[in-house]
Amino acid sequence: MTAADALLGPGDVRELAAALGVRPTKQRGQNFVIDANTVRRIVRAAGVGPDDTVVEIGPGLGSLTLALLAEAGSVTAVEIDDVLAAALPATVAARLPERADRFRLVHADALRVTELPGPAPQSLVANLPYNVAVPVLLHMLASFPSLERGLVMVQSEVADRLAAGPGSKVYGVPSVKTAWYARARRAGAIGRSVFWPAPNVDSGLVALERREPPATSASRAEVFAVVDAAFAQRRKTLRSALAGWAGSAAAAEEACRAAGVPATARGEALTVEDFARLAEHRPR
């Protein structure tokens, strides 16, 4: 079987699911990719090559896994579902036997994974479940500093938020926290018909390139605390929105002044560097 033949088509996905007694659940955001061209496109967009160690989150029945394995040096897949985790190594061995030794399966909740077997991953490529996409992405970026880049498929609306810059209507907590770790950009759109079952929303690709976090004396937790506070009431000015964080509206205004940020601005106007300076000037 060639690498192209190894990829899963609609019939393969349904046969595998039926054999395993798997019915995709909304609870786990399971929408399996059934289009080989789509997974090839994702792997191309991710720039995966033979020297790359890739980590994949939520491999499901293995559609994207097989496409990654055909190109990457090695692939480690993290799967929470008991049945899917048990079946995936056999699928890999049957369809890409010559590369099965380059595949590792970690049966775990991605939100709890803090170490992976084998070489440290350089690339994250995943079709992330809609309900946990942002927490999983942020957890992986925080837990694996070796990740230099990534390409994730998420709900289109989430993709917009991850890639948004200051001043955008959809710029918010996910945008700023992602920017702490990486530069994010939209890398394409994915239609509903390539999934089974077809979701009620469109999907988007987000490309990520690791960057150094802002130079600051504040910890990441301190910076993220002011980000959360600023967007908890996003229509309010920083003077009002940060009153609880600073201790009072007057203290929030003083922190803004010290950080060189207008107290009359809203959180959506600030860069991650602005938030870092605010965190440095939180009243003690």
Side-chain angles (χ1 to χ4, degrees):
M1 186 181 289
T2 67
D5 294 333
L7 301 184
L8 301 177
D12 301 312
V13 169
R14 289 188 173 90
E15 279 178 28
L16 264 174
L20 296 172
V22 168
R23 300 185 67 178
T25 69
K26 283 189 178 180
Q27 180 188 357
R28 288 196 169 153
Q30 289 171 331
N31 298 92
F32 301 126
V33 181
I34 57 174
D35 180 63
N37 287 328
T38 296
V39 292
R40 285 194 198 98
R41 176 186 164 196
I42 291 170
V43 173
R44 276 199 309 273
V48 170
D51 296 329
D52 290 322
T53 299
V54 179
V55 59
E56 181 190 8
I57 306 300
L61 291 165
S63 299
L64 180 55
T65 313
L66 293 166
L68 286 167
L69 206 51
E71 301 294 336
S74 68
V75 176
T76 300
V78 181
E79 176 58 63
I80 189 173
D81 186 285
D82 296 346
V83 174
L84 295 173
L88 190 53
T91 300
V92 168
R95 301 187 76 91
L96 273 180
E98 71 281 8
R99 288 183 169 257
D101 62 337
R102 304 182 187 197
F103 174 71
R104 301 177 186 87
L105 188 285
V106 175
H107 181 198
D109 180 349
L111 283 168
R112 298 179 182 277
V113 169
T114 54
E115 55 183 16
L116 293 167
Q122 302 141 314
S123 182
L124 167 68
V125 185
N127 169 23
L128 292 176
Y130 294 160
N131 52 347
V132 293
V134 172
V136 165
L137 175 61
L138 294 176
H139 172 75
M140 294 301 292
L141 289 170
S143 300
F144 297 96
S146 62
L147 288 172
E148 299 167 3
R149 62 191 182 281
L151 188 87
V152 294
M153 180 159 60
V154 294
Q155 184 176 337
S156 187
E157 184 182 313
V158 174
D160 289 340
R161 288 177 187 158
L162 291 173
S168 165
K169 288 182 179 178
V170 295
Y171 181 74
V173 172
S175 324
V176 183
K177 291 185 178 180
T178 300
W180 174 272
Y181 302 104
R183 295 178 186 87
R185 62 175 174 83
R186 280 294 299 252
I190 303 288
R192 306 177 188 194
S193 62
V194 304
F195 295 98
W196 172 71
N200 296 323
V201 293
D202 294 321
S203 297
L205 299 176
V206 177
L208 301 148
E209 181 185 349
R210 175 77 73 169
R211 54 163 274 177
E212 287 296 316
T216 176
S217 59
S219 69
R220 181 178 66 213
E222 288 169 335
V223 177
F224 283 10
V226 68
V227 172
D228 289 335
F231 286 103
Q233 304 173 79
R234 63 180 298 141
R235 291 183 179 277
K236 292 191 173 183
T237 65
L238 293 172
R239 186 181 193 279
S240 299
L242 299 183
W245 167 82
S248 69
E253 186 168 353
E254 179 54 38
C256 288
R257 186 180 299 113
V261 172
T264 53
R266 292 178 174 83
E268 64 198 39
L270 273 58
T271 65
V272 65
E273 288 80 11
D274 292 332
F275 282 111
R277 288 200 310 279
L278 269 172
E280 290 176 8
H281 292 95
R282 183 178 188 173
R284 301 300 175 187

